[in-house]
Amino acid sequence: MTARRIIPCLDVKDGRVVKGVRFEGHRDMGDAAELAARYRDSGADELVFYDIAASPEGRTLDYGWVEDIARLLDIPFCVAGGIRTVEQAARCLDHGADKVSINSPALERPELIAGRAERLGRQCVVVGVDSQFQDGEWRVHKYTGDPNARRGAGRLTMDWIVEAQDLGAGEIVLNCIDQDGVRKGYDVAQLRAARDRLTIPLVASGGAGAVEHFTTVFREADVSGALAASVFHSGTIAIPDLKRALDANGVEVRL
């Protein structure tokens, strides 16, 4: 069995890490570089950095900032934020990122997924999906980094993740909006439905509040990784303690 991954997520705005509830009301959580170094030293398997203002502002992220983060880390990290072309994605990798995530731009131009997979290799291509339960269906939203710009994407979540996989995505990060920031547990039902439709790795996002939430999502939804933010940023859960608990409960992790 492949070891399950613990992945702190850093939503970045103007060089600072922020965190909200259901993608709204962002609060400052600290300096991005300082938090990255802390997670590196505490045993995180990967890190994810989202420049949450990039897509709503119509820009891409700062490559110099990516390079600065790469100098700090000896673990894989993924970046996202307004990366609209294959060339921009390639530049992120050239500056030290291991993976590049695409979300809203892929909804507008799905061919971006195929283009990145063909040129960069699908192992580098992550598709982020922001999903909310509405009218009896899980539905995709875009521009979620800005409450004023956020809107429905006109796609059903389960259809979109399969399309993204078929286009060449190497991994799906499913962000469950209804659970985001509320710390009541991952949306296991939605993640299980997604897992049943995918053959590529699936990462759970949104809802972690206690150690048992990680155990449950690995066991019941069979995800490859669990992403979390506020419980790590605040120190509510320490990664070494989490990994020891998962190991004691029969979930294979890198200790």
Side-chain angles (χ1 to χ4, degrees), residues 86 102 106 109-122 125 127 163-169:
V86 176
I102 186 172
R109 295 175 56 208
E111 65 271 17
L112 287 174
I113 300 173
R116 291 185 186 190
E118 181 177 354
R119 177 170 168 183
L120 307 175
R122 70 184 299 164
V125 181
V127 174
E163 181 180 350
Q165 175 180 259
D166 292 345
L167 285 166

Side-chain angles (χ1 to χ4, degrees), residues 87-230:
E87 289 70 25
Q88 289 171 342
R91 289 192 68 185
C92 290
L93 298 179
D94 289 343
H95 283 79
D98 298 278
K99 301 177 184 178
V100 178
S101 181
I102 186 172
N103 189 322
S104 299
L107 290 161
E108 297 165 358
R109 295 175 56 208
E111 65 271 17
L112 287 174
I113 300 173
R116 291 185 186 190
E118 181 177 354
R119 177 170 168 183
L120 307 175
R122 70 184 299 164
Q123 77 280 356
C124 300
V125 181
V126 178
V127 174
V129 181
D130 297 324
S131 176
Q132 188 166 34
F133 193 74
Q134 295 176 315
D135 302 322
E137 300 275 4
W138 290 300
R139 298 179 182 274
V140 182
H141 285 240
K142 60 183 178 179
Y143 300 136
T144 54
D146 182 347
N148 296 317
R150 173 181 154 185
R151 58 183 182 271
R155 290 178 177 269
L156 297 180
T157 301
M158 297 303 147
D159 293 344
W160 173 234
I161 63 173
V162 172
E163 181 180 350
Q165 175 180 259
D166 292 345
L167 285 166
E171 181 170 278
I172 299 290
V173 176
L174 184 53
N175 307 302
C176 303
I177 294 174
D178 293 313
Q179 272 66 38
D180 182 75
V182 300
R183 301 191 186 185
K184 293 184 178 180
Y186 292 96
D187 188 340
V188 172
Q190 183 174 185
L191 290 159
R192 181 70 254 180
R195 176 71 279 162
D196 289 344
R197 289 165 170 80
L198 297 173
T199 59
I200 59 176
L202 173 66
V203 175
S205 176
V211 169
E212 55 264 30
H213 295 156
F214 290 86
T215 304
T216 298
V217 79
F218 284 128
R219 283 182 169 175
E220 297 185 13
D222 194 28
V223 295
S224 301
L227 184 151
S230 59

Side-chain angles (χ1 to χ4, degrees), residues 50-65:
Y50 290 124
D51 184 333
I52 63 170
S55 279
E57 293 175 1
R59 61 171 176 81
T60 192
L61 49 73
D62 184 335
Y63 303 117
W65 177 80

